């Protein structure tokens, strides 16, 4: 019983389009990232910065900096394979609609609904196989599914399977003769219709489409055997298809010496009503390397055919023009082909985008990331030639740095380049005039008034280049790349991995941040680091669940519970100010104390003899009157001070009617207003005049009689906007007042206690009786210096913080004054407090407060005090996220901007006050984790961590041209005269210091030799003393031509200390080569055998076990013949069990040197080791012969294994398998007549458990298939991790204690004695801390190619039963956005009674496995049947009973409203009701379990 949870969303961009989606006047970018759909808008940054790109042109030509701002995002239950824009006659928003295609042959038509500020599903179209009533696209890995849209918006076609089209016609506006003869391409754009009125909205409910139908491509023409690409074309009155096809497999022509061509291009016009077709044009004899069709609008027309070596243009009459970009294109000549083979570029994987709509220029993004410009030469309306020019690097020609996956144009000078291997970029372009390039004539005075755009047009007229694109009125227009400048405006980060991650602990002195203090240390923590990107953008990425801070200063001050840093300006000169640090102390006496310190460049000084009230605790600190007055809020009242801390005014809290003293419980500041909430639930609203005098504003009767618990003052982004006062009543109602007018509220919302999906002014139905106590609200701006957004935060009594975003139904900007149509929509991400209970007698932390903080390293954040202390942050391209702060007992935090200390934050931690900053170049809300990219300007293939030296070892590659060596036996190749040589990679091994993130040592490999695998292993280096060392093993492969056998090497390095270079102390470590042995075949995988000190490796089709000899050579110990090349080789720590996997043969479980001795050791997070431990599973078998492999069990073949890992849990050993189709399989080793010996690392005595035989395992020879789960992403790696529950988190002292005794831990690895005896000294300390771990502490992390990260967790039977009940309820509550819960409420699910599944896709169907198996007897594929097992015994799949739980669904319980939550907890309590246990106890247990599945088990990360 397992659960799979997506921890990190995908970040690789696969598809993107631009269209007016949110409204008719908007310009939105829609981006698809596998299963994530995002909608952006482009805005000018508030603090625009010029580009860092260095060019030779004037800076005056730089345009305003533009940013991508996220409007909304949706996690889709499907893999998006294509998106297209549809212009329907009527939509809810007045803009375009979107047609989204997902795998399994489905299309979803959606538009934007302004009333709910989310997408609205219009229709869902799916196509099933008539034989088995399953989806037609049952083989997603074999054929590509994509969508093509008719430019006239008349129909769309979904291409799936090998040769099937699904045509979806759309209704056209009007049926009269004029509308039928209208064509958008020939008659120009049709005028936009006005937004529909209330009476016209009923028309939207009508279907905007006609019945769809399937059209086999073979019906168009029986000769279209293998269609390569299908696209709709421009310039036709009827929908017209262009089909690029082959009568044979195009791959066959590549192996023939004569390179015969088999491709042809055919154009067909379709009759949608009669479902007929008419062939128009057919072009045969095309090169076999063509693979893509790009339709071209006017003024060019026709279509482009893109090949690996050539670009071919076919006009509507069938005339061809081509341009060759390398010498191989000349081997397949085409009429009218221009020879530009000197470019020596390859077009594989390239993306073309319309660059200039006026002259038809197209931008080419090559597979290497370089940019080129494709221009056209017209002779009248006929195309006479093509030209390709590379854009120079200094003009932005290498700005993307990686292969593109998609592109779209947002404006005439703005376009977007998406990438699945690098960052996606928003680029701007314009033409600039180089300095002194041309003098203006003084004769023409009007030239002095010409704009830059006019000058650029003149430059186009007079540029002197050989290519002549579109002819202007004089026929002499020219185009150049020398004056073309491409700049980066914004980017969407891509954190997708290239290889397996490693985990590093950093505890060394870090001189980079404070070199003057040699005793300063970074806090202990672990980071996951893995290779990412490639080429010039290549490097490594660090991920962590918590915010890592860099402490710059630490003050030994009395213990405080709150801290503020404020600047008080001089009234006469606002530039002159004094900075104060104010602390609030909690004492045994009720009043408490406060203290004031002055901050200066000389340090911190205690302020003496001031009038600041220090004999009472301070609740709030703020400034008024343009920062010239300091206001102190204490329980007794308010005091204002000037710059010298002299009292200006004293306001005591006194009730004149009752003649009693009142206490302040809450306060809000916004110059010039101050709002105070008192303990009798009354409020006091004050306004400061120009002299600083605070006057009480008159209140209406409702304000005086109301009972208020919280307040917040906020002003919109513009300075002219009014300040709004938000008040929370004791009944949970939220009132809005426009200050200073308190005569009446401008808005009232009563639904906040129900935790609704939308907060509106509508009345709440009486049936909604379940309420949650809301204790605090805050309206604040969250974002960066470049862009901020307003959010409403509502904190409940349980510490949960829900986030709401405002919007206007009319689409008006948020800075407008209208509030009649203002609504607040709840965001998907909320802040949930931890459910830890460290000790039974310790008070459970459940309180927190919300503190807005401006400008912490450029971020405007909200600090949440509680467990854990967290920050809510946001980047413009992402939604706000809540991230915990790494640290212990952080009670308060504030921001500062000081001349002496810069910008950063100050926090109270235990008995210290610390100032610090975020880690440099770190982002937070992209993934919901802390992410940091380290650029190394090269491709990193593998990485491992050496914990003794605390250094990283990298395996990198650099591109090189391959040329056959002179001594090569292929003599016929010596006569080749080609200059366009193929590219290959040359590897290097480097040593990386994490203090400076600099390479300190470099070991080059042989030519054509690359790193294939790398591990940090503990090997025995002496056969006499049995000494062990922590070494680095590297496997390589020498890859040449295809018919030359591959060779490899196995390297073993030791990291040694050397004399550092002068001024470079980090160079005191070097790589020392101990062993280098050449082997036959590539070394594809390696691992150590713990407990023995041996190294096992896969070389060629053999598995070898080697040991190190004292003379520095390898000693072969054992081998195992394989039937393929291993891609996975894992060893279960503390046992002799090894997991082997091959993409063709499946997985197998073997044992090496298995004896009855008790072999167990601590499990390292990385290969080096650490004190975090696992339960050890061992197999007890009598040893008959030394050093031999024993085959235990294996899976059925034909499961394309990419990654696999062992997952021991309680009495079972599970194996997690990720295949090529994005399925995760759970199999179990269930032997017959064998036994598991479960040895808990901290328990005694040993427990021998007999396992009942299962006939489906064939005597233990087959792994028992338990379940499968579709994640929808291509896997990269799996890693077994130790899980530590929240109640066993180690504090900093314990972490330092464990890290300081790593050598002792390593010595225990070298001890071969029996370990049943109690360990003493340091190891006992660790065991005492981890003694209370639950039995299911181990988890498997799955990383995918799209950047999504999943966590596989094993569950106990009781936990599985509880969580299954919760998941069943959540899935039953799912709905599309079109579902309404009542006629009186126009907002779908506004009370949070349903879960919105975007695009209306079935989540259960999405999670069902897509694995297929080939039938060897028939040569066909058949789908594995769910439940019956299919080809794998006992197989199940999806989200049904007895299958894998979806942790992503379980985490969505926080999206439910109060009423739905009560129903969910009742369902869970009924499923796991125990005698004498309360419902609250069950609820807390379920929350802790969901918290564990969501990543709390790896809290050390």
């Amino acid at each position: 019983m397992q659960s799979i949870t997506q921890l990190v969303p995908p970040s690789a961009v696969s598809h993107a389009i631009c269209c007016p989606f949110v409204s008719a006047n908007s310009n939105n970018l829609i981006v698809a990232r596998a299963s994530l759909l995002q909608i952006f808008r482009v805005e000018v940054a508030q603090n625009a910065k010029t580009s860092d790109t260095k060019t030779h042109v004037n800076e005056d030509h730089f345009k305003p900096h533009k940013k991508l701002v996220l409007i909304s995002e949706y996690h889709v239950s499907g893999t998006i394979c294509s998106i297209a824009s549809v212009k329907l006659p009527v939509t809810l928003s007045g803009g375009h609609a979107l047609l989204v295609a997902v795998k399994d042959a489905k299309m979803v038509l959606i538009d934007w609904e302004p009333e709910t500020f989310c997408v609205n599903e219009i229709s869902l179209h799916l196509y099933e196989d008539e034989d088995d009533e399953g989806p037609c696209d049952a083989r997603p890995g074999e054929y590509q599914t994509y969508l093509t849209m008719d430019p006239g918006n008349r129909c769309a076609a979904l291409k799936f399977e090998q040769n099937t089209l699904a045509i979806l016609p759309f209704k056209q506006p009007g049926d009269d003769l004029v509308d039928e003869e209208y064509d958008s391409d020939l008659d120009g754009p049709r005028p936009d219709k006005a937004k529909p009125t209330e009476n016209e909205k009923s028309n939207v409910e009508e279907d905007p489409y006609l019945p769809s139908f399937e059209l086999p491509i073979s019906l168009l023409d029986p000769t279209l055997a293998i269609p390569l690409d299908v696209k709709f074309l421009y310039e036709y009155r009827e929908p017209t298809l262009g089909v690029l096809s082959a009568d044979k497999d195009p791959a066959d022509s590549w192996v023939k010496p004569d390179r015969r061509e088999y491709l042809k291009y055919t154009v067909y016009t379709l009759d949608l009503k009669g479902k007929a077709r008419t062939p128009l044009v057919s072009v045969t004899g095309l090169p076999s390397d063509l693979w893509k069709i790009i339709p071209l609008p006017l003024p060019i027309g026709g279509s482009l055919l893109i090949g690996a070596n050539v670009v071919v243009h076919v006009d509507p009459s069938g005339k061809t023009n081509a341009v060759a970009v390398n010498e191989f294109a000349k081997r397949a000549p085409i009429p009218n082909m221009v020879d530009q083979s000197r470019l020596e570029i390859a077009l594989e994987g390239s993306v073309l985008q319309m660059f200039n709509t006026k002259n038809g220029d197209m931008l080419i993004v090559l597979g290497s990331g370089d940019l080129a410009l494709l221009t056209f030469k017209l002779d009248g309306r006929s195309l006479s030639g093509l030209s390709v020019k590379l854009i120079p690097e200094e003009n932005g020609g290498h700005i993307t740095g990686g292969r593109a996956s998609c592109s779209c144009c947002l404006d005439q000078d703005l376009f977007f380049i998406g990438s699945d291997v690098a960052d996606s970029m928003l680029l701007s372009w314009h033409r600039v005039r180089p300095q002194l390039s041309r003098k203006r004539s003084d004769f023409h005075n009007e030239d002095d008034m010409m704009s830059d755009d006019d000058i650029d047009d003149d430059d186009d007229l007079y540029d002197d280049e050989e290519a002549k694109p579109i002819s202007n009125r004089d026929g002499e227009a020219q185009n150049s790349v020398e004056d073309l400048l491409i700049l980066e405006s914004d980017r969407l980060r891509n954190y997708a991995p290239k290889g397996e991650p490693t985990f590093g602990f950093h505890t060394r002195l870090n001189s980079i941040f404070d070199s003057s203090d040699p005793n300063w240390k970074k806090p202990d923590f672990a980071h996951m680091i893995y290779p990412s990107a490639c080429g010039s953008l290549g490097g490594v990425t660090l991920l962590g669940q918590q915010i890592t801070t860099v402490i710059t200063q630490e003050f030994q001050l009395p213990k405080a519970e709150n801290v503020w840093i404020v600047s008080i300006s001089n009234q006469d000169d606002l530039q002159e100010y004094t900075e104060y640090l104010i602390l609030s102390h909690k004492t045994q006496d009720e009043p408490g104390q406060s203290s004031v310190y002055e901050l200066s460049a000389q340090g911190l000084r205690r302020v003496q003899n001031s009038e600041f009230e220090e004999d009472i605790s301070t609740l709030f600190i703020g400034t008024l009157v343009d920062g010239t007055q300091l206001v102190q809020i204490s329980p007794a009242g308010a005091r204002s001070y000037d710059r010298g801390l002299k009292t200006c005014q004293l306001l005591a809290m006194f009730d004149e009617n009752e003649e009693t003293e009142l206490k302040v419980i809450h306060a809000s500041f916004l110059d010039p207003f101050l709002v105070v909430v008192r303990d009798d639930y009354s409020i006091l609203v004050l306004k400061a005049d120009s002299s600083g005098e605070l006057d009480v504003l008159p209140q209406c009767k409702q304000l005086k009689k109301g009972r208020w618990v919280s307040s917040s003052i906020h002003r919109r982004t513009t300075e002219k906007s009014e300040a709004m006062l938000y008040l929370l009543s004791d009944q949970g109602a939220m009132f809005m007042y426009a200050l200073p007018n308190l005569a009446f509220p401008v808005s009232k919302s009563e639904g906040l206690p129900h935790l609704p999906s939308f907060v509106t002014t509508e009345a709440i139905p009486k049936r909604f009786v379940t309420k949650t106590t809301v204790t605090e609200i805050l309206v604040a701006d969250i974002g960066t210096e470049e862009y901020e957004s307003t959010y409403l935060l509502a904190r409940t009594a349980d510490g949960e913080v829900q986030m709401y975003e405002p919007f206007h139904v009319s689409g008006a900007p948020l800075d407008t004054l209208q509030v009649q149509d203002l609504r607040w929509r709840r965001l998907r991400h909320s802040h949930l407090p931890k459910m830890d209970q460290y000790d039974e007698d310790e008070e459970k932390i459940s309180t927190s407060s919300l503190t807005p903080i401006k400008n912490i390293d450029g971020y405007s954040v909200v600090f949440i005090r509680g467990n854990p202390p967290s920050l809510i942050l946001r980047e413009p391209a992402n939604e706000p996220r809540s991230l915990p702060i790494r640290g212990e007992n952080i009670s308060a935090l504030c921001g500062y901007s000081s001349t002496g200390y810069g910008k950063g934050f100050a926090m109270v931690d235990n008995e210290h006050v610390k100032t610090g900053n975020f880690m440099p170049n770190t982002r937070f809300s992209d993934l919901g984790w802390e992410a940091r990219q380290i650029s190394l300007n090269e491709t990193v293939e593998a990485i491992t961590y050496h914990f003794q030296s605390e250094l990283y070892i990298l395996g990198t590659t650099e591109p090189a041209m391959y040329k056959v060596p002179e001594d090569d036996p292929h003599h016929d190749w010596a006569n080749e005269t080609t200059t366009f040589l193929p590219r290959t990679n040359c590897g290097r091994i480097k040593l990386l210091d994490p203090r400076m993130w600099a390479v300190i040592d470099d070991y080059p490999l042989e030519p054509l030799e690359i790193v294939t695998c790398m591990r940090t292993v503990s090997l025995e280096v002496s056969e006499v003393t049995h000494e062990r060392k922590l070494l680095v093993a590297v496997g390589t492969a020498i890859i040449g031509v295809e018919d030359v056998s591959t060779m490899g090497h196995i390297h073993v390095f030791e990291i040694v200390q050397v004399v550092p270079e002068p001024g470079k102390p980090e160079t005191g470590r070097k790589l020392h080569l101990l062993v280098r042995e050449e082997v036959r075949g590539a070394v594809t995988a390696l691992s150590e055998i713990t407990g023995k000190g041996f190294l096992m490796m896969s070389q060629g089709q053999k598995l070898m076990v080697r040991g190190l000899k004292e003379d520095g050579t390898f000693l072969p110990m054992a081998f195992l013949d394989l039937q393929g090349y291993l891609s996975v080789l894992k060893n279960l720590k503390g046992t002799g069990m090894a997991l082997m996997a091959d993409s063709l043969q499946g997985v197998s479980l073997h044992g090496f040197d298995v004896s009855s001795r008790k072999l167990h050791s601590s499990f390292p997070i990385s290969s080096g080791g650490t004190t975090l431990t696992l339960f050890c599973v061992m197999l007890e078998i009598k040893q008959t012969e030394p050093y031999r492999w024993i085959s235990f069990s294996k899976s059925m073949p034909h499961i394309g294994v990419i990654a696999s890992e062992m997952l021991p849990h309680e009495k079972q050993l599970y194996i997690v398998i990720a295949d090529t189709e994005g399925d995760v399989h759970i199999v179990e080793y269930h032997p017959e007549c064998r036994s598991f010996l479960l040895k808990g690392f901290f328990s005694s005595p040993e427990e021998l458990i007999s396992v009942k035989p299962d006939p489906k395992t064939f005597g233990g020879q087959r792994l028992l298939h338990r379940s499968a789960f579709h994640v929808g992403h291509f896997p990269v790696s799996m890693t077994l991790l130790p899980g530590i529950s929240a109640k066993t988190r180690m504090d900093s002292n314990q972490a330092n204690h464990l890290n300081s005794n790593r050598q002792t831990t390593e010595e225990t690895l070298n001890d071969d004695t029996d370990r049943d005896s109690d360990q003493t000294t340091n190891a006992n300390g660790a065991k005492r801390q981890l003694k209370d771990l639950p039995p299911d502490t181990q988890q498997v992390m799955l990383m995918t190619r799209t950047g999504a990260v999943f966590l596989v967790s094993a569950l106990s039977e009781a936990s599985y039963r509880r969580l299954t009940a919760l998941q069943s309820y959540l899935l039953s509550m799912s709905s599309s956005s079109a579902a309404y819960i009542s006629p009186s409420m126009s907002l779908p699910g506004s009370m949070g009674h349903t879960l919105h599944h975007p695009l209306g896709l079935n989540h259960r169907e999405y999670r069902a496995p897509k694995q297929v198996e080939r039938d060897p007897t028939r040569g066909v594929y058949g789908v594995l049947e769910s439940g019956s097992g299919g080809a794998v015994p006992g197989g199940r799949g999806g989200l049904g009973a007895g299958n894998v739980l979806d942790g992503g669904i379980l985490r969505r319980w926080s999206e439910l409203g109060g009423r739905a939550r009560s129903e969910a907890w009742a369902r869970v309590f009924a499923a796991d009701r125990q005698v004498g246990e309360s419902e609250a106890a069950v609820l807390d247990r379920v929350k802790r379990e969901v918290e564990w599945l969501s990543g709390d088990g790896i809290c050390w990360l």
Side-chain angles (χ1 to χ4, degrees), residues 1093-1389:
F1094 297 152
L1095 181 67
M1096 58 178 175
M1097 66 194 73
S1098 170
Q1099 58 181 66
Q1101 298 190 22
K1102 289 183 179 294
L1103 180 66
M1104 299 292 297
V1105 178
R1106 288 183 169 91
L1108 281 178
K1109 298 170 61 176
E1110 295 186 358
D1111 58 355
T1113 60
F1114 274 125
L1115 175 64
M1117 311 297 294
F1119 74 95
L1120 180 65
D1121 286 326
L1122 305 173
Q1123 297 180 356
Y1125 294 87
L1126 294 183
S1127 58
V1128 177
L1129 180 60
K1130 300 292 183 67
N1131 172 56
L1132 187 60
K1133 301 297 179 177
T1135 73
M1137 303 183 71
L1139 176 66
M1140 307 173 192
D1142 175 71
S1143 58
L1144 297 179
Q1145 302 298 327
V1147 300
S1148 59
L1149 191 62
H1150 296 262
F1152 174 77
D1153 194 23
V1154 182
S1155 64
S1156 58
R1157 292 188 300 163
K1158 303 166 183 61
L1159 301 175
H1160 57 273
S1161 61
S1162 61
F1163 174 83
I1165 290 180
S1166 62
S1167 301
T1170 182
T1171 53
L1172 301 177
T1173 57
L1174 286 171
F1175 295 111
C1176 297
V1177 180
M1178 299 190 306
L1179 194 65
E1180 185 178 31
I1181 296 180
K1182 300 279 186 171
Q1183 178 179 344
T1184 57
E1185 296 180 4
Y1187 310 130
R1188 55 170 282 187
W1189 285 103
I1190 301 176
S1191 178
F1192 292 152
S1193 185
K1194 61 181 180 180
S1195 68
M1196 294 294 292
H1198 309 301
I1199 296 180
V1201 181
I1202 300 298
S1204 185
E1205 186 57 273
M1206 290 178 281
L1207 180 60
H1209 172 67
E1210 293 182 347
K1211 305 175 183 180
Q1212 295 85 22
L1213 176 62
Y1214 297 99
I1215 298 176
V1216 187
I1217 304 172
D1219 64 17
T1220 56
E1221 305 299 339
D1223 294 336
V1224 174
H1225 301 264
I1226 307 296
V1227 298
E1228 180 186 0
Y1229 177 48
H1230 202 281
E1232 182 183 13
C1233 302
R1234 301 180 183 178
S1235 301
F1236 274 118
L1237 179 63
L1238 182 65
K1239 175 67 171 93
F1241 192 80
F1242 314 113
S1243 61
S1244 61
E1246 301 170 357
E1247 182 182 8
L1248 186 64
I1249 302 164
S1250 299
V1251 182
K1252 296 182 179 179
D1254 193 318
K1256 296 180 181 179
T1257 63
F1258 298 99
Q1261 299 180 13
R1262 293 293 184 188
L1263 294 172
L1264 187 61
H1265 191 277
R1266 288 302 186 186
S1267 186
F1269 185 92
H1270 183 67
V1271 297
H1273 305 269
F1274 191 86
V1276 173
S1277 65
M1278 279 189 178
T1279 307
L1280 182 64
L1281 303 178
I1284 298 181
S1285 61
K1287 60 183 179 182
T1288 56
R1289 289 191 180 101
M1290 297 174 292
D1291 58 28
S1292 58
N1293 294 330
Q1294 295 163 348
N1296 290 330
H1297 174 71
L1298 295 176
N1299 285 318
S1300 64
N1301 293 279
R1302 285 175 177 169
Q1303 183 178 1
T1304 305
T1305 305
E1306 182 191 357
E1307 291 174 356
T1308 59
L1309 293 176
N1310 298 328
D1311 187 9
D1312 289 335
T1313 59
D1314 192 314
R1315 303 192 183 191
D1316 280 345
S1317 58
D1318 292 335
Q1319 298 179 354
T1320 58
T1321 63
N1322 304 316
N1324 268 336
K1327 291 168 67 173
R1328 283 194 295 269
Q1329 296 300 326
L1330 305 178
K1331 186 175 182 180
D1332 296 331
L1333 280 174
D1336 48 340
T1337 57
Q1338 297 159 84
Q1339 296 170 303
V1340 172
M1341 178 174 288
L1342 167 65
M1343 305 195 70
T1344 64
R1345 185 179 293 176
T1346 61
V1349 179
F1350 294 85
L1351 192 65
V1352 184
S1353 309
L1355 298 172
S1356 63
E1357 184 177 354
S1359 298
Y1360 185 84
R1361 185 171 57 252
R1362 289 187 294 267
L1363 297 178
T1364 299
L1366 177 60
Q1367 177 178 274
S1368 300
Y1369 178 82
L1370 294 174
L1371 289 176
S1372 65
M1373 289 294 102
S1374 63
S1375 70
S1376 66
S1377 62
Y1380 290 78
I1381 58 174
S1382 68
S1384 61
M1385 304 189 65
S1386 60
L1387 300 181

Side-chain angles (χ1 to χ4, degrees), residues 76-77 108 110 121 124 1375-1377 1396-1403:
V76 179
S77 298
V108 184
I110 61 175
E121 294 84 12
L124 171 62
S1375 70
S1376 66
S1377 62
H1396 179 208
H1397 281 261
L1399 275 62
L1401 298 174
N1402 191 321
H1403 191 75

Side-chain angles (χ1 to χ4, degrees), residues 374-387:
L374 174 64
T375 59
F376 303 90
K377 180 181 179 181
L378 284 179
D379 186 5
R381 291 182 59 89
S382 176
L383 183 67
S384 60
L386 294 82
S387 177

Side-chain angles (χ1 to χ4, degrees), residues 106-157:
K106 296 178 183 178
M107 290 188 294
V108 184
L109 185 63
I110 61 175
D111 66 350
W112 184 259
E113 187 174 7
E115 291 189 358
T116 59
F117 206 75
C118 65
V119 297
N120 168 63
E121 294 84 12
I122 300 176
S123 60
L124 171 62
H125 309 266
L126 56 108
Y127 305 91
E128 298 181 342
D129 194 343
E130 296 180 357
D131 296 334
D132 55 5
E133 296 183 356
C136 287
D137 195 4
R139 298 170 289 279
E142 185 172 357
Y143 302 112
Q144 183 181 6
T145 301
Y146 59 90
L147 189 67
T148 177
M149 185 67 196
D150 175 42
N153 292 282
R154 291 162 292 201
C155 65

Side-chain angles (χ1 to χ4, degrees), residues 194-496:
K195 188 176 180 180
T197 62
E198 295 294 334
N199 296 330
E200 295 173 344
K201 285 187 177 180
S202 59
N203 297 331
V204 181
E205 299 178 359
E206 300 179 359
D207 294 337
Y209 53 87
L210 298 173
S212 63
F213 58 92
E214 292 187 17
L215 177 65
I217 299 180
S218 58
L219 292 181
L220 297 176
D221 191 341
T223 61
L224 302 180
I226 303 177
L228 303 179
D229 197 12
V230 180
K231 293 292 174 60
F232 281 104
L233 306 181
Y234 292 86
E235 300 184 76
Y236 293 94
R237 292 187 177 273
E238 297 293 336
T240 304
L241 282 173
V243 181
L244 180 65
S245 62
D247 55 356
K248 297 181 181 179
D249 190 351
D252 295 341
S253 65
W254 289 93
V255 299
K256 295 181 180 295
D258 57 350
R259 283 181 53 84
R260 296 180 58 190
E261 313 307 328
Y262 300 102
L263 302 190
K264 70 174 181 179
Y265 175 70
T266 314
V267 178
Y268 299 91
T269 181
L270 301 179
D271 183 3
L272 298 180
K273 295 181 180 180
K275 300 181 181 179
R277 54 84 181 168
T278 302
L280 299 180
V281 177
S282 180
V283 181
T284 59
L286 295 174
S288 59
D289 59 347
L290 298 179
W291 54 278
K292 187 176 184 180
I293 302 175
I294 299 181
L296 297 180
L298 293 177
I300 305 300
S303 57
L304 279 181
L305 308 181
I306 311 301
N309 311 308
V310 65
V311 178
V312 182
H313 177 268
V314 181
D315 66 4
S317 64
K319 178 186 174 182
T320 61
N321 287 274
V323 55
V325 296
N326 58 56
E327 61 184 78
F328 294 104
K330 294 185 291 185
R331 300 184 182 183
I334 301 176
N336 303 323
M337 184 171 69
V338 179
D339 183 11
Q340 285 191 306
S341 58
R342 66 184 185 280
L343 295 175
E344 294 187 347
I345 59 176
L347 298 178
E348 292 99 339
S350 60
V351 172
L352 280 75
Q353 174 60 44
M354 182 64 68
F355 188 68
N356 191 337
T357 57
K358 295 181 180 180
N359 57 17
D361 290 350
M362 301 197 72
L363 185 72
I364 304 177
V365 185
L366 301 176
S368 60
D370 298 339
L371 303 181
L373 189 64
L374 174 64
T375 59
F376 303 90
K377 180 181 179 181
L378 284 179
D379 186 5
R381 291 182 59 89
S382 176
L383 183 67
S384 60
L386 294 82
S387 177
V388 177
K389 297 179 181 179
L390 291 174
I391 299 177
E393 181 180 0
E394 59 269 17
N395 288 25
H398 299 172
I399 194 171
T400 58
R403 184 185 71 242
S405 60
C406 59
S407 64
C408 63
C409 184
L410 284 84
D411 204 347
Q412 292 184 356
D413 60 349
L414 196 66
F415 58 96
F416 177 78
I417 302 296
S419 177
D420 55 359
V421 297
D423 293 346
S424 301
M425 294 188 177
L426 180 68
L427 304 177
S428 62
W429 72 274
H430 58 280
R431 296 194 176 276
V432 295
R433 178 176 55 86
Q435 295 182 10
L436 303 179
S437 63
R438 184 177 73 246
K439 293 183 179 180
R440 297 180 183 177
S441 173
D442 295 336
F443 180 76
H444 299 286
N445 295 331
E446 64 270 20
D447 288 350
D448 296 337
M449 302 178 63
M450 294 176 63
S451 64
D452 290 342
D453 295 336
D454 297 332
I455 297 172
D456 296 340
D457 294 338
D458 288 346
D459 288 340
D460 294 340
L461 292 176
Y462 298 102
D463 278 345
D464 205 8
E465 289 292 334
E466 61 180 10
K468 295 182 179 181
I470 307 303
S471 299
N472 67 348
R473 68 185 66 176
D474 299 326
E476 299 292 338
Q478 310 226 345
N479 211 345
S480 172
V481 295
E482 299 300 331
D483 60 352
L484 177 64
L485 183 62
I486 299 178
L487 304 174
E488 176 188 345
S489 292
D490 197 5
R491 64 171 60 195
L492 300 180
R493 304 282 179 171
N494 184 4
Y495 302 96

Side-chain angles (χ1 to χ4, degrees), residues 832-849:
L832 300 177
K834 297 296 182 182
M835 301 300 297
D836 327 352
Q837 286 182 337
Y838 293 90
D839 295 309
E840 295 298 334
D841 55 348
E842 186 177 354
E843 183 181 358
K844 183 178 178 180
I845 301 176
S846 61
T847 60
S848 66
S849 62

